[in-house]
Amino acid sequence: LKSDCVIEKDGRVTRMVYVPAIPQMGYRTVWLRSEEEKKTPMLTQPFDWKWETDFYQIEWNENGELTRLYDKQACREVLRQGECGNQFQLFHDQPTYWDAWDIDPLFAEQEAYRPELLSVDVVLKGKTMDRIRFKWTLSSSFIEQDLVLYHHSARIDFETRVSWHETHKLLK
């Protein structure tokens, strides 16, 4: 079994365990030790805008947007040349008739603000996963996102939390 244990800055403890070969319609017992384990503190280390796993080669621009996502298993680029992924966009939302649930068909022509990247931290480079945390400010709002890359799977998670303080705005 592989496991990671992280102590966050606020004292929370996060544990990630990878258990291979669980039988279909079955189970596997995993014992947690009661003895004090060596815990990995939350890391803060320099970030060079590139990351590599067994599955991907990833690059970001200075705004924290994905500029390259190369799938090693499929031997192909996931993003088109010159395009960005994971790009937050804020638009003015001034509907013509109704205030709620009426999105103006021309909203894309009414861009409001661009997000400003505040920080990037490598929170965990562990045995089961890597976790990179991005923080942006966007007008009066705040976005925090963890990019989670698993060592046993090609899955990528974007765990996003938004502290929303806007009116008549649309986040895409």
Side-chain angles (χ1 to χ4, degrees):
L1 297 178
K2 296 178 182 178
S3 73
D4 291 311
C5 186
V6 177
I7 302 173
E8 301 280 349
K9 288 181 181 175
D10 63 2
R12 289 181 298 128
V13 177
T14 304
R15 178 174 296 282
M16 174 73 175
V17 178
Y18 172 62
V19 183
I22 298 174
Q24 290 182 358
M25 304 298 289
Y27 69 94
R28 186 157 185 191
T29 303
V30 177
W31 296 96
L32 299 177
R33 290 183 226 153
S34 60
E35 64 192 57
E36 186 59 34
E37 299 178 54
K38 180 182 176 186
K39 294 183 174 97
T40 308
M42 189 172 93
L43 302 173
T44 303
Q45 64 186 46
F47 184 72
D48 69 356
W49 307 103
K50 294 180 182 182
W51 201 264
E52 189 164 349
T53 70
D54 290 341
F55 300 98
Y56 299 107
Q57 290 177 350
I58 304 170
E59 295 180 17
W60 293 267
N61 63 19
E62 65 280 351
N63 296 323
E65 300 164 336
L66 291 168
T67 56
R68 182 169 191 235
L69 181 59
Y70 180 77
D71 184 333
K72 292 178 172 182
Q73 292 182 329
C75 298
R76 71 175 189 93
E77 295 288 345
V78 175
L79 298 173
R80 289 187 185 128
Q81 183 70 25
E83 291 188 0
C84 291
N86 197 38
Q87 188 176 57
F88 293 105
Q89 299 171 332
L90 186 69
F91 299 94
H92 293 287
D93 184 22
Q94 301 290 335
T96 308
Y97 298 107
W98 301 280
D99 195 29
W101 308 109
D102 182 24
I103 296 178
D104 185 345
L106 302 175
F107 81 91
E109 298 172 7
Q110 304 173 43
E111 190 167 358
Y113 304 99
R114 301 284 301 156
E116 178 185 338
L117 184 65
L118 300 174
S119 65
V120 181
D121 294 309
V122 178
V123 176
L124 175 67
K125 186 167 175 60
K127 298 174 191 170
T128 61
M129 68 178 171
D130 299 335
R131 182 178 291 267
I132 305 166
R133 182 166 295 153
F134 295 83
K135 294 180 182 178
W136 293 271
T137 184
L138 182 62
S139 185
S140 300
S141 298
F142 179 76
I143 301 171
E144 180 179 271
Q145 182 179 72
D146 286 3
L147 176 71
V148 183
L149 300 155
Y150 299 94
H151 294 225
H152 61 280
S153 167
R155 175 178 167 158
I156 300 175
D157 285 336
F158 293 84
E159 297 176 1
T160 308
R161 295 160 295 285
V162 178
S163 178
W164 189 251
H165 302 281
E166 309 296 327
T167 56
H168 293 102
K169 299 286 188 292
L170 177 94
L171 178 63
K172 178 179 170 192

